[in-house]
Short mmCIF file of all heavy atoms in Angstrom, two decimals:
data_model
loop_
_atom_site.label_atom_id
_atom_site.label_comp_id
_atom_site.label_asym_id
_atom_site.label_seq_id
_atom_site.Cartn_x
_atom_site.Cartn_y
_atom_site.Cartn_z
N ASP A 165 19.49 8.61 -6.87
CA ASP A 165 19.91 9.34 -5.67
C ASP A 165 21.37 9.73 -5.83
O ASP A 165 22.24 8.89 -5.97
CB ASP A 165 19.73 8.44 -4.46
CG ASP A 165 20.09 9.12 -3.16
OD1 ASP A 165 20.14 10.37 -3.17
OD2 ASP A 165 20.32 8.44 -2.17
N TYR A 196 17.78 0.63 5.35
CA TYR A 196 18.34 -0.62 4.90
C TYR A 196 19.06 -0.42 3.56
O TYR A 196 18.73 0.50 2.80
CB TYR A 196 17.22 -1.66 4.71
CG TYR A 196 16.79 -2.30 6.01
CD1 TYR A 196 16.05 -1.59 6.95
CD2 TYR A 196 17.11 -3.62 6.30
CE1 TYR A 196 15.66 -2.18 8.15
CE2 TYR A 196 16.73 -4.22 7.48
CZ TYR A 196 16.00 -3.49 8.40
OH TYR A 196 15.62 -4.08 9.58
N HIS A 198 19.59 -1.96 -0.02
CA HIS A 198 18.90 -2.88 -0.92
C HIS A 198 19.65 -3.01 -2.23
O HIS A 198 20.25 -2.05 -2.73
CB HIS A 198 17.49 -2.34 -1.24
CG HIS A 198 16.49 -2.50 -0.15
ND1 HIS A 198 15.44 -3.39 -0.24
CD2 HIS A 198 16.38 -1.90 1.05
CE1 HIS A 198 14.70 -3.31 0.87
NE2 HIS A 198 15.26 -2.41 1.66
N TYR A 200 18.75 -4.49 -6.21
CA TYR A 200 17.81 -5.02 -7.18
C TYR A 200 18.53 -5.13 -8.51
O TYR A 200 19.53 -4.44 -8.74
CB TYR A 200 16.59 -4.09 -7.34
CG TYR A 200 15.64 -4.15 -6.17
CD1 TYR A 200 15.99 -3.59 -4.96
CD2 TYR A 200 14.41 -4.79 -6.28
CE1 TYR A 200 15.14 -3.67 -3.86
CE2 TYR A 200 13.55 -4.88 -5.20
CZ TYR A 200 13.92 -4.32 -3.99
OH TYR A 200 13.09 -4.40 -2.91
N GLN A 202 17.85 -5.48 -12.91
CA GLN A 202 16.87 -5.29 -13.96
C GLN A 202 17.39 -5.90 -15.26
O GLN A 202 18.42 -5.45 -15.79
CB GLN A 202 16.55 -3.81 -14.15
CG GLN A 202 15.41 -3.55 -15.12
CD GLN A 202 15.06 -2.08 -15.22
OE1 GLN A 202 15.88 -1.21 -14.96
NE2 GLN A 202 13.82 -1.78 -15.60
N GLN A 206 12.34 -5.59 -18.49
CA GLN A 206 11.63 -6.15 -17.35
C GLN A 206 11.67 -5.16 -16.19
O GLN A 206 12.44 -4.20 -16.20
CB GLN A 206 12.26 -7.48 -16.91
CG GLN A 206 12.11 -8.59 -17.93
CD GLN A 206 12.55 -9.93 -17.38
OE1 GLN A 206 12.53 -10.15 -16.17
NE2 GLN A 206 12.95 -10.83 -18.26
N GLY A 207 10.84 -5.41 -15.19
CA GLY A 207 10.88 -4.61 -13.99
C GLY A 207 12.02 -5.02 -13.09
O GLY A 207 12.55 -6.13 -13.22
N PRO A 208 12.43 -4.14 -12.19
CA PRO A 208 13.48 -4.51 -11.24
C PRO A 208 13.08 -5.72 -10.42
O PRO A 208 11.91 -5.91 -10.07
CB PRO A 208 13.61 -3.26 -10.36
CG PRO A 208 13.12 -2.14 -11.21
CD PRO A 208 12.01 -2.75 -12.03
N TYR A 210 14.10 -8.06 -6.96
CA TYR A 210 14.80 -8.05 -5.68
C TYR A 210 15.97 -9.04 -5.71
O TYR A 210 15.82 -10.17 -6.20
CB TYR A 210 13.83 -8.41 -4.56
CG TYR A 210 14.48 -8.68 -3.22
CD1 TYR A 210 14.85 -7.64 -2.39
CD2 TYR A 210 14.73 -9.99 -2.80
CE1 TYR A 210 15.44 -7.88 -1.16
CE2 TYR A 210 15.33 -10.23 -1.58
CZ TYR A 210 15.67 -9.18 -0.76
OH TYR A 210 16.28 -9.43 0.45
N HIS A 213 18.94 -7.65 0.68
CA HIS A 213 19.03 -6.42 1.44
C HIS A 213 19.52 -6.72 2.85
O HIS A 213 19.43 -7.88 3.32
CB HIS A 213 17.71 -5.64 1.46
CG HIS A 213 16.64 -6.21 2.34
ND1 HIS A 213 16.06 -7.44 2.11
CD2 HIS A 213 16.03 -5.70 3.44
CE1 HIS A 213 15.13 -7.65 3.03
NE2 HIS A 213 15.10 -6.62 3.86
N TYR A 251 21.04 -2.33 -9.30
CA TYR A 251 20.79 -1.08 -8.59
C TYR A 251 21.00 -1.28 -7.09
O TYR A 251 20.43 -2.19 -6.49
CB TYR A 251 19.36 -0.60 -8.82
CG TYR A 251 19.07 -0.13 -10.22
CD1 TYR A 251 18.53 -0.99 -11.17
CD2 TYR A 251 19.34 1.19 -10.59
CE1 TYR A 251 18.26 -0.54 -12.47
CE2 TYR A 251 19.07 1.64 -11.88
CZ TYR A 251 18.53 0.76 -12.80
OH TYR A 251 18.27 1.20 -14.08
N GLY A 255 16.69 1.85 1.64
CA GLY A 255 15.27 1.64 1.89
C GLY A 255 14.89 2.24 3.23
O GLY A 255 15.41 1.83 4.26
N GLY A 256 14.01 3.21 3.19
CA GLY A 256 13.52 3.83 4.40
C GLY A 256 12.02 3.89 4.37
O GLY A 256 11.38 3.31 3.49
N ALA A 257 11.46 4.63 5.31
CA ALA A 257 10.01 4.76 5.36
C ALA A 257 9.48 5.50 4.15
O ALA A 257 8.29 5.42 3.82
CB ALA A 257 9.60 5.50 6.64
N ASP A 258 10.37 6.20 3.43
CA ASP A 258 9.95 6.93 2.23
C ASP A 258 10.16 6.12 0.97
O ASP A 258 10.17 6.66 -0.12
CB ASP A 258 10.70 8.27 2.13
CG ASP A 258 12.21 8.09 2.13
OD1 ASP A 258 12.68 6.98 2.43
OD2 ASP A 258 12.92 9.07 1.83
N GLY A 259 10.33 4.81 1.11
CA GLY A 259 10.47 3.95 -0.05
C GLY A 259 11.93 3.71 -0.41
O GLY A 259 12.83 3.93 0.39
N LEU A 260 12.15 3.23 -1.62
CA LEU A 260 13.49 2.92 -2.10
C LEU A 260 14.04 4.08 -2.91
O LEU A 260 13.36 4.60 -3.80
CB LEU A 260 13.46 1.68 -3.00
CG LEU A 260 13.39 0.32 -2.34
CD1 LEU A 260 13.21 -0.74 -3.41
CD2 LEU A 260 14.63 0.04 -1.52
N PHE A 262 17.26 4.83 -5.32
CA PHE A 262 18.30 4.08 -5.99
C PHE A 262 19.46 4.94 -6.46
O PHE A 262 19.31 6.13 -6.72
CB PHE A 262 17.72 3.39 -7.23
CG PHE A 262 16.76 2.28 -6.94
CD1 PHE A 262 15.40 2.46 -7.12
CD2 PHE A 262 17.21 1.04 -6.51
CE1 PHE A 262 14.50 1.43 -6.87
CE2 PHE A 262 16.32 0.01 -6.26
CZ PHE A 262 14.97 0.20 -6.44
N TYR B 55 3.57 1.51 -4.81
CA TYR B 55 4.41 2.62 -5.24
C TYR B 55 4.31 2.82 -6.75
O TYR B 55 3.98 1.89 -7.50
CB TYR B 55 5.89 2.34 -4.93
CG TYR B 55 6.21 1.92 -3.53
CD1 TYR B 55 6.10 0.59 -3.14
CD2 TYR B 55 6.66 2.84 -2.58
CE1 TYR B 55 6.40 0.19 -1.84
CE2 TYR B 55 6.98 2.43 -1.28
CZ TYR B 55 6.84 1.12 -0.93
OH TYR B 55 7.16 0.73 0.36
N TYR B 57 7.08 4.27 -9.68
CA TYR B 57 8.43 4.73 -9.99
C TYR B 57 8.47 5.15 -11.45
O TYR B 57 7.77 4.60 -12.30
CB TYR B 57 9.47 3.61 -9.79
CG TYR B 57 9.83 3.35 -8.36
CD1 TYR B 57 9.02 2.56 -7.54
CD2 TYR B 57 10.99 3.88 -7.82
CE1 TYR B 57 9.35 2.33 -6.22
CE2 TYR B 57 11.35 3.64 -6.50
CZ TYR B 57 10.52 2.86 -5.71
OH TYR B 57 10.86 2.63 -4.41
N GLN B 59 11.20 5.61 -14.68
CA GLN B 59 12.54 5.34 -15.18
C GLN B 59 12.74 6.11 -16.47
O GLN B 59 12.06 5.87 -17.47
CB GLN B 59 12.76 3.84 -15.41
CG GLN B 59 14.20 3.50 -15.79
CD GLN B 59 14.45 2.01 -15.79
OE1 GLN B 59 13.68 1.23 -16.33
NE2 GLN B 59 15.56 1.60 -15.17
N LYS B 63 17.85 5.37 -17.66
CA LYS B 63 17.63 4.22 -16.78
C LYS B 63 17.65 4.59 -15.30
O LYS B 63 17.78 3.71 -14.45
CB LYS B 63 18.64 3.09 -17.04
CG LYS B 63 18.69 2.63 -18.47
CD LYS B 63 17.39 2.00 -18.88
CE LYS B 63 17.46 1.42 -20.29
NZ LYS B 63 16.15 0.91 -20.74
N PHE B 64 17.52 5.88 -15.01
CA PHE B 64 17.49 6.30 -13.62
C PHE B 64 16.10 6.06 -13.05
O PHE B 64 15.12 6.57 -13.57
CB PHE B 64 17.89 7.77 -13.52
CG PHE B 64 18.01 8.29 -12.11
CD1 PHE B 64 18.59 7.51 -11.12
CD2 PHE B 64 17.55 9.55 -11.79
CE1 PHE B 64 18.71 7.99 -9.83
CE2 PHE B 64 17.67 10.03 -10.49
CZ PHE B 64 18.23 9.25 -9.51
N LEU B 65 16.01 5.29 -11.96
CA LEU B 65 14.75 4.94 -11.31
C LEU B 65 14.47 5.91 -10.17
O LEU B 65 15.25 6.01 -9.24
CB LEU B 65 14.85 3.54 -10.71
CG LEU B 65 14.39 2.36 -11.54
CD1 LEU B 65 14.84 1.08 -10.86
CD2 LEU B 65 12.90 2.36 -11.74
N ILE B 67 11.46 7.31 -7.33
CA ILE B 67 10.16 7.08 -6.73
C ILE B 67 9.28 8.32 -6.94
O ILE B 67 9.73 9.46 -6.85
CB ILE B 67 10.28 6.74 -5.23
CG1 ILE B 67 8.92 6.32 -4.68
CG2 ILE B 67 10.89 7.87 -4.44
CD1 ILE B 67 8.99 5.67 -3.32
N ILE B 78 3.76 9.48 0.52
CA ILE B 78 4.89 10.20 -0.07
C ILE B 78 4.41 10.90 -1.33
O ILE B 78 3.65 10.34 -2.07
CB ILE B 78 6.05 9.28 -0.49
CG1 ILE B 78 6.54 8.43 0.66
CG2 ILE B 78 7.20 10.06 -1.10
CD1 ILE B 78 7.52 7.38 0.23
N PHE B 112 6.93 2.19 -13.47
CA PHE B 112 6.84 0.91 -12.76
C PHE B 112 6.00 1.05 -11.51
O PHE B 112 6.21 1.97 -10.71
CB PHE B 112 8.23 0.40 -12.35
CG PHE B 112 9.08 -0.06 -13.50
CD1 PHE B 112 10.06 0.77 -14.01
CD2 PHE B 112 8.91 -1.31 -14.06
CE1 PHE B 112 10.86 0.36 -15.07
CE2 PHE B 112 9.69 -1.73 -15.12
CZ PHE B 112 10.66 -0.89 -15.63
N THR B 119 5.59 -0.22 4.93
CA THR B 119 6.37 0.92 4.47
C THR B 119 7.80 0.88 4.97
O THR B 119 8.63 1.63 4.51
CB THR B 119 5.74 2.24 4.98
OG1 THR B 119 5.66 2.18 6.41
CG2 THR B 119 4.37 2.45 4.40
N GLY B 121 11.69 0.25 5.70
CA GLY B 121 12.79 0.04 4.78
C GLY B 121 13.26 -1.39 4.70
O GLY B 121 13.98 -1.75 3.78
N ARG B 122 12.85 -2.22 5.63
CA ARG B 122 13.28 -3.61 5.59
C ARG B 122 12.43 -4.47 4.66
O ARG B 122 12.75 -5.61 4.40
CB ARG B 122 13.27 -4.22 6.99
CG ARG B 122 11.90 -4.37 7.60
CD ARG B 122 11.97 -5.18 8.89
NE ARG B 122 10.67 -5.22 9.55
CZ ARG B 122 10.34 -4.42 10.54
NH1 ARG B 122 11.21 -3.54 11.00
NH2 ARG B 122 9.15 -4.49 11.09
N SER B 123 11.34 -3.90 4.14
CA SER B 123 10.46 -4.68 3.27
C SER B 123 11.00 -4.75 1.86
O SER B 123 11.35 -3.72 1.27
CB SER B 123 9.06 -4.05 3.21
OG SER B 123 8.33 -4.35 4.35
N MET B 124 11.01 -5.96 1.29
CA MET B 124 11.39 -6.07 -0.10
C MET B 124 10.24 -5.61 -0.98
O MET B 124 9.07 -5.73 -0.60
CB MET B 124 11.83 -7.48 -0.47
CG MET B 124 11.02 -8.59 0.10
SD MET B 124 11.77 -10.20 -0.17
CE MET B 124 11.46 -10.46 -1.89
N LYS B 125 10.61 -5.05 -2.11
CA LYS B 125 9.61 -4.51 -3.04
C LYS B 125 9.47 -5.45 -4.24
O LYS B 125 10.45 -6.02 -4.72
CB LYS B 125 10.05 -3.14 -3.56
CG LYS B 125 9.81 -1.93 -2.63
CD LYS B 125 10.21 -2.07 -1.23
CE LYS B 125 10.10 -0.78 -0.43
NZ LYS B 125 10.50 -0.99 0.98
N PHE B 127 8.18 -5.47 -8.10
CA PHE B 127 7.89 -4.53 -9.18
C PHE B 127 7.07 -5.19 -10.28
O PHE B 127 7.20 -6.39 -10.55
CB PHE B 127 9.20 -4.01 -9.80
CG PHE B 127 9.90 -2.99 -8.96
CD1 PHE B 127 10.70 -3.38 -7.90
CD2 PHE B 127 9.77 -1.63 -9.24
CE1 PHE B 127 11.35 -2.42 -7.11
CE2 PHE B 127 10.41 -0.68 -8.46
CZ PHE B 127 11.20 -1.07 -7.40
N GLY B 128 6.24 -4.37 -10.93
CA GLY B 128 5.53 -4.82 -12.10
C GLY B 128 6.43 -4.77 -13.33
O GLY B 128 7.58 -4.34 -13.25
N PRO B 129 5.90 -5.17 -14.48
CA PRO B 129 6.72 -5.25 -15.70
C PRO B 129 6.95 -3.90 -16.38
O PRO B 129 7.76 -3.81 -17.29
CB PRO B 129 5.90 -6.17 -16.59
CG PRO B 129 4.49 -5.97 -16.14
CD PRO B 129 4.56 -5.71 -14.67
#
Side-chain angles (χ1 to χ4, degrees):
Chain A
D165 182 18
Y196 280 72
H198 284 250
Y200 286 72
Q202 187 176 25
Q206 294 189 25
Y210 170 80
H213 74 295
Y251 290 94
D258 57 348
L260 282 174
F262 291 105
Chain B
Y55 309 84
Y57 282 81
Q59 186 170 46
K63 305 295 185 185
F64 185 41
L65 267 169
I67 188 167
I78 304 172
F112 290 100
T119 57
R122 67 171 175 262
S123 282
M124 41 190 286
K125 280 46 173 179
F127 284 81

